[in-house]
Amino acid sequence: MLVQPRRTWIREVFTYRGTVLPTVWRRLLVVGGLSLALTIGHLETHSFVLRDITPLPFTLTGFAISVFLGFRTTTAYTRFWEGRTLWGGLVNTCRNFTRQVLTWVAAPPGSAPDPANDAALRQLQRRIVHHVIAFSHALRQRLRDDERPDEYSELVDPALLPALQHEPNRPQAILAHVAGLLRGAYDQGLLHPQHVPVLEASLAAMTDAQGGCERIGSTPLPYVYRVLVHQIVGIYCFSLPFGLIHTLQWFAPAVTVLVAYAFFGLDAIGEELDNPFEIDANDLPLAALTRGIELDLRARLGETDLPPPARPHRGLLL
């Protein structure tokens, strides 16, 4: 996600980075060149007879296409916002689960104080929370199709790491291991039966968040709809000069490029927001979100040797 400080209106108007210009400038160049060539041919050499073509058909179709593109952009932003909502819920679920583990995974009431047992209990709590942190990293890697278990190898049990190399769904394998740790705590009398459903509900909420993100990532806008948008926008923009030359004459190329920028830009925005989990300039900062989860959860464990918070690099927060 591109993170920029608040700037003046004029600087926003003339900005380039983070806009759709890097995506559409070639199309604009072709449309502008075509419009300029048609204008010169019509006004200077009179080799093109375009006097009978009026802007009216383009006005009518332009309105319909703008509504169509508005719906396309709204659909894409809905997917973007749903992805952000799912990750916001995941952040809260991880915090809640950590609080539940630190509160309810405890020595049985009335047991005699034992420093060795207390140390083992704290170690168990730490293992459980560390695996939840590893789950968030594994989910981010899965959504971005960049799975590298070595990145979170220090957070998972050494015996689990080799198995993860062959797991088709590593986030769920980690959650299954967390459930096994909770079952062990229950068998040892460290977890009251009434608290088991609470912790299980938190694990289920993490699974639901993963499923929602996978649904967004694996179900793009239907291909036939996406192609139709590209086709009607392309046909409209490349034919627009024919309807503007007679009326606008030498101003036709400039107006054509301006209108094409609006239509090509809306099309490109919908394309970029369609999958919010990639690493484009306007996608969700999953690495920053997972780093935030790690910092919050490890702080609750009382750890002080924490990684630095995620910072934008050249204005880009991944």
Side-chain angles (χ1 to χ4, degrees):
M1 174 178 285
L2 197 63
V3 180
Q4 295 284 11
R6 185 176 296 276
R7 300 185 296 181
T8 62
W9 180 86
I10 193 67
R11 291 191 65 185
E12 293 284 351
V13 169
F14 289 100
T15 191
Y16 177 79
R17 188 164 180 255
T19 68
V20 295
L21 278 174
T23 303
V24 305
W25 70 268
R26 295 178 181 85
R27 305 171 209 172
L28 297 178
L29 191 63
V30 174
V31 170
L34 173 64
S35 180
L36 182 61
L38 290 173
T39 302
I40 294 174
H42 177 64
L43 298 179
E44 296 295 329
T45 67
H46 300 282
S47 58
F48 296 89
V49 182
L50 303 175
R51 296 184 181 277
D52 294 335
I53 302 179
T54 67
L56 181 59
F58 298 93
T59 302
L60 297 176
T61 56
F63 175 76
I65 294 174
S66 64
V67 174
F68 194 55
L69 283 174
F71 175 76
R72 165 76 170 93
T73 306
T74 301
T75 302
Y77 183 76
T78 300
R79 293 165 58 85
F80 175 89
W81 185 246
E82 183 182 3
R84 184 61 184 89
T85 302
L86 288 169
W87 269 89
L90 180 62
V91 170
N92 288 340
T93 300
C94 291
R95 292 169 177 167
N96 288 332
F97 182 78
T98 299
R99 186 186 68 252
Q100 293 161 1
V101 168
L102 297 179
T103 303
W104 302 120
V105 178
S111 58
D114 187 336
N117 290 339
D118 292 343
L121 176 61
R122 288 193 296 270
Q123 179 62 21
L124 175 60
Q125 294 172 338
R126 182 173 179 271
R127 288 172 61 196
I128 294 173
V129 174
H130 276 193
H131 281 82
V132 173
I133 299 172
F135 162 78
S136 68
H137 288 297
L139 177 57
R140 181 246 308 164
Q141 292 180 0
R142 179 176 176 84
L143 294 175
R144 289 183 167 173
D145 198 21
D146 181 30
E147 300 193 60
R148 293 172 286 107
D150 293 342
E151 181 181 339
Y152 49 84
S153 58
E154 296 181 356
L155 296 170
V156 300
D157 292 338
L160 176 62
L161 192 59
L164 288 178
Q165 300 289 345
H166 307 287
E167 278 287 345
N169 192 328
R170 288 166 183 161
Q172 285 304 298
I174 294 173
L175 284 189
H177 189 73
V178 172
L181 293 176
L182 292 175
R183 176 56 190 265
Y186 174 80
D187 293 340
Q188 297 174 41
L190 302 176
L191 184 59
H192 194 278
Q194 292 182 347
H195 299 148
V196 173
V198 178
L199 293 166
E200 174 59 29
S202 295
L203 292 179
M206 296 181 200
T207 299
D208 292 342
Q210 176 180 346
C213 293
E214 289 174 340
R215 170 173 49 80
I216 295 174
S218 62
T219 313
L221 199 69
Y223 179 75
V224 63
Y225 186 87
R226 190 170 71 250
V227 170
L228 177 61
V229 172
H230 295 336
Q231 288 175 340
I232 61 175
V233 169
I235 292 172
Y236 180 84
C237 291
F238 282 102
S239 61
L240 183 61
F242 293 95
L244 298 181
I245 291 174
H246 178 63
T247 303
L248 300 180
Q249 299 189 14
W250 290 110
F251 290 100
V255 175
T256 299
V257 170
L258 180 62
V259 175
Y261 176 60
F263 283 111
F264 283 138
L266 288 172
D267 187 19
I269 290 173
E271 195 76 12
E272 184 167 336
L273 296 182
D274 194 44
N275 187 349
F277 304 127
E278 296 178 345
I279 56 174
D280 295 326
N282 294 290
D283 287 329
L284 293 175
L286 300 189
L289 290 171
T290 52
R291 177 60 62 85
I293 291 174
E294 180 173 358
L295 292 174
D296 287 348
L297 270 55
R298 293 179 66 176
R300 298 280 65 75
L301 293 173
E303 299 182 14
T304 56
D305 185 17
L306 304 177
R311 301 294 185 190
H313 176 65
R314 298 181 60 187
L316 187 62
L317 191 63
L318 294 177

